[in-house]
Amino acid sequence: NAGVTQTPKFQVLKTGQSMTLQCAQDMNHEYMSWYRQDPGMGLRLIHYSVGAGITDQGEVPNGYNVSRSTTEDFPLRLLSAAPSQTSVYFCASSNAGISYNEQFFGPGTRLTVL
Amino acid sequence: QQQVKQSPQSLIVQKGGISIINCAYENTAFDYFPWYQQFPGKGPALLIAIRPDVSEKKEGRFTISFNKSAKQFSLHIMDSQPGDSATYFCAASIKGGSEKLVFGKGTKLTVNP
């Protein structure tokens, strides 16, 4: 199993550009989520999904869009990139429905917005 | 509003010493408290977790102590090793699952040889 994979590893955007961060998991997990990690801020939840076709907002959803058409994939879209979105983005998945289940994180995408 | 407060921000210990990281939470609905370990350039990985029905959980050199009345929990790393040097995050969630984890701000641990 590859676990949770993310592409690209690094990305540089100009203000106003749009892009999609890809996330895939091969563990048949129902639950997937996106976090951003900023220095001294920990990880903050952007969006999450409890299954295909179901998404919801987390703590910091503004400027981001998600969709979940399959169990395996959960892409994160930046509609119009801003310097404040410079961050490291982590995708995670877990087996929802099992109490106290582990959330598995991908390796991250480091995004710089100029 | 920060729901999980973590301290210290950074910690330096000597090899063989004890590392202690503390977290406090506000939401009494939290019922799952994991600790994640993150090495540079990597994603966080679950280290150890505890539920509020126990006061302590030990896995090897890593121990979580939990004080429900004080709404505090801590990570103790015994016999700290240079390989333990990483950033540690405490977290919390409700409904017994890891969904919608709320993270502390992290502690950068350095273990000197």
Side-chain angles (χ1 to χ4, degrees):
Chain A
N1 286 352
V4 179
T5 58
Q6 294 183 238
T7 56
K9 289 187 182 297
F10 302 94
Q11 183 70 50
V12 178
L13 292 178
K14 294 181 179 179
T15 296
Q17 287 184 317
S18 63
M19 79 157 294
T20 299
L21 280 63
Q22 301 292 343
C23 173
Q25 53 90 11
D26 62 358
M27 297 174 281
N28 201 32
H29 286 166
E30 298 93 343
Y31 184 83
M32 297 185 74
S33 56
W34 278 100
Y35 291 84
R36 61 176 289 173
Q37 182 177 22
D38 302 293
M41 294 295 293
L43 290 95
R44 293 180 291 170
L45 183 64
I46 304 171
H47 284 286
Y48 65 97
S49 169
V50 298
I54 306 170
T55 64
D56 205 347
Q57 297 181 350
E59 180 185 355
V60 288
N62 292 340
Y64 306 96
N65 200 3
V66 292
S67 60
R68 183 96 179 268
S69 56
T70 67
T71 299
E72 295 78 20
D73 301 298
F74 191 43
L76 178 71
R77 281 182 286 277
L78 279 70
L79 309 174
S80 177
S84 61
Q85 293 178 304
T86 293
S87 187
V88 181
Y89 292 85
F90 289 99
C91 179
S93 74
S94 65
N95 194 346
I98 297 179
S99 296
Y100 309 106
N101 47 313
E102 178 178 355
Q103 190 155 176
F104 295 86
F105 284 82
T109 293
R110 183 175 294 273
L111 175 68
T112 302
V113 182
L114 302 175
Chain B
Q1 180 187 8
Q2 185 185 0
Q3 296 194 58
V4 179
K5 295 184 179 181
Q6 183 173 347
S7 63
Q9 267 190 307
S10 63
L11 181 62
I12 301 174
V13 301
Q14 293 300 119
K15 178 182 176 181
I18 302 174
S19 304
I20 302 174
I21 304 170
N22 300 300
C23 283
Y25 63 96
E26 300 167 1
N27 188 347
T28 54
F30 286 146
D31 65 353
Y32 176 67
F33 302 91
W35 285 88
Y36 280 81
Q37 180 187 54
Q38 184 181 32
F39 293 105
K42 304 293 185 182
L46 180 66
L47 182 64
I48 187 173
I50 197 168
R51 290 155 24 187
D53 54 346
V54 297
S55 60
E56 185 176 282
K57 182 175 182 179
K58 183 176 181 179
E59 290 185 1
R61 296 184 293 109
F62 301 91
T63 300
I64 299 179
S65 297
F66 185 80
N67 186 329
K68 188 174 183 177
S69 61
K71 292 185 288 184
Q72 295 176 347
F73 58 111
S74 60
L75 176 69
H76 296 235
I77 306 175
M78 311 299 289
D79 186 26
S80 298
Q81 299 297 311
D84 297 331
S85 297
T87 299
Y88 293 82
F89 294 95
C90 63
S93 67
I94 63 174
K95 296 183 182 180
S98 64
E99 292 82 19
K100 298 183 69 174
L101 285 169
V102 178
F103 283 87
K105 293 187 176 183
T107 297
K108 184 176 181 179
L109 171 65
T110 302
V111 181
N112 289 327

